Amino acid sequence: MSQPPYIRPEFERELAPLRDLPVETPLPLGQRLWHQTWLRKSLILLLVLALWELAARVTQNDLMLPGVAQTLHALAEDMRNGELPEKIVNSFSTLLKGYLIGSVLALLASALAVTTQFGRDLLSTLTAMLNPLPAIALLPLALLWFGLGNVSLVFVLVHSVMWPIALNTWSGFSSVPETLRMTGRNYGLSGPRYVLTILIPASLPSILSGLKIGWAFAWRTLIAAELVFGASSGQGGLGWYIFQNRNELFTDRVFAGLVTVIVIGLLVEGVVFASLEKVTIKRWGMQR
């Protein structure tokens, strides 16, 4: 005769209430403030400004090194009379054209490389040849081919933007796990649908990193190009503003232009790209 199955008796164990637990004391105010990234960066900025002002006071030569107050006064004056805003708009209109065209071409080249062997050979060969070539070195040829105008600047900007974005995008595509690739193939995805739905979302951190590098390259290339050949089609940008004031020995305005370039770079990095990362890769847990 078979034994009945063993049934474990049920019981309820009463737990003693938790009392007299040690209460964690909050961190001191100084440590809590130090954990704020914006505060630490603000302190670094204030230190740089203090060193700048100290060097200006030691030099005592406004033509060589104006102080912080003089530079801010020149910056505020040219902002008020509309000269600097006009230069900023001129530079940004040209920058956005070259940046967008270069980014689209880089994504297309990376998509072609990840789907065909010819595309991989083409991308690896072109990046090995053209990526080490400084974009500003193409400016004489651009002026010869397209003349003085925005087209020459856009051509140089496309070269400066395309290759770093293509390299980072291709690196991100190559690092996509094989499991995700097999998932896309199992769903019958191929070509553009495979790239858009599988590869781009999985490699978004590398793509954003490439976009940030491409932005930095484009911004400094534009300023350097404007410094080299000045105004474009009668409309100068920030580089032309710096170059023109240097010729007229308005050193405070030269520093005002440099400060404007730095501030715009910080704003794009800290606001545009940081917000884009926060709503995408950081929100999805792809980056800390």
Side-chain angles (χ1 to χ4, degrees), residues 154-218:
V154 170
F155 174 79
V156 173
L157 290 174
V158 169
H159 172 78
S160 67
V161 167
M162 183 175 176
W163 308 116
I165 296 180
L167 284 175
N168 278 269
T169 303
W170 167 245
S171 176
F173 287 170
S174 301
S175 61
V176 174
E178 189 62 28
T179 305
L180 289 177
R181 297 174 182 271
M182 293 176 62
T183 302
R185 288 193 288 267
N186 288 338
Y187 276 98
L189 300 177
S190 61
R193 290 184 59 199
Y194 174 69
V195 174
L196 291 174
T197 58
I198 300 295
L199 296 183
I200 289 182
S203 57
L204 196 56
S206 297
I207 295 176
L208 287 180
S209 177
L211 290 174
K212 290 170 65 175
I213 297 173
W215 148 257
F217 280 17

Side-chain angles (χ1 to χ4, degrees), residues 6-265:
Y6 174 75
I7 300 176
R8 187 177 64 178
E10 297 181 358
F11 61 91
E12 181 179 357
R13 179 176 297 175
E14 295 185 2
L15 300 177
L18 300 176
R19 296 190 181 95
D20 301 329
L21 291 178
V23 179
E24 294 184 2
T25 57
L27 292 175
L29 179 61
Q31 293 187 19
R32 281 182 287 165
L33 290 176
W34 186 249
H35 289 163
Q36 302 295 322
T37 304
W38 66 268
L39 181 60
R40 297 195 304 271
K41 292 185 176 182
S42 300
L43 291 176
I44 294 174
L45 180 60
L46 290 176
L47 177 61
V48 172
L49 293 177
L51 292 175
W52 176 7
E53 184 65 27
L54 178 62
R57 291 179 182 272
V58 171
T59 305
Q60 292 185 349
N61 188 342
D62 295 342
L63 184 61
M64 297 295 295
L65 182 63
V68 177
Q70 291 174 279
T71 301
L72 293 180
H73 176 73
L75 177 64
E77 183 179 353
D78 284 352
M79 280 290 187
R80 186 168 53 251
N81 61 30
E83 184 175 1
L84 259 179
E86 180 186 358
K87 306 300 184 186
I88 293 172
V89 170
N90 292 339
S91 291
F92 254 89
S93 62
T94 305
L95 176 71
L96 289 178
K97 295 175 186 175
Y99 185 74
L100 291 177
I101 294 174
S103 301
V104 171
L105 291 177
L107 292 175
L108 291 177
S110 301
L112 181 64
V114 81
T115 52
T116 63
Q117 182 63 48
F118 173 76
R120 285 192 288 274
D121 296 338
L122 179 65
L123 182 61
S124 61
T125 304
L126 291 181
T127 51
M129 291 171 51
L130 300 177
N131 190 45
L133 182 65
I136 201 68
L138 294 177
L139 187 57
L141 284 178
L143 295 176
L144 180 64
W145 293 339
F146 308 111
L148 284 173
N150 283 331
V151 179
S152 299
L153 285 177
V154 170
F155 174 79
V156 173
L157 290 174
V158 169
H159 172 78
S160 67
V161 167
M162 183 175 176
W163 308 116
I165 296 180
L167 284 175
N168 278 269
T169 303
W170 167 245
S171 176
F173 287 170
S174 301
S175 61
V176 174
E178 189 62 28
T179 305
L180 289 177
R181 297 174 182 271
M182 293 176 62
T183 302
R185 288 193 288 267
N186 288 338
Y187 276 98
L189 300 177
S190 61
R193 290 184 59 199
Y194 174 69
V195 174
L196 291 174
T197 58
I198 300 295
L199 296 183
I200 289 182
S203 57
L204 196 56
S206 297
I207 295 176
L208 287 180
S209 177
L211 290 174
K212 290 170 65 175
I213 297 173
W215 148 257
F217 280 17
W219 186 228
R220 69 187 187 188
T221 298
L222 174 65
I223 301 300
E226 290 178 344
L227 281 169
V228 169
F229 77 95
S232 172
S233 300
Q235 296 180 346
L238 280 172
W240 174 244
Y241 172 86
I242 296 171
F243 180 78
Q244 190 178 32
N245 284 290
R246 194 271 299 175
N247 287 339
E248 298 175 4
L249 297 181
F250 293 145
T251 315
D252 54 348
R253 286 190 167 92
V254 172
F255 274 83
L258 294 175
V259 168
T260 305
V261 171
I262 293 172
V263 170
I264 291 175

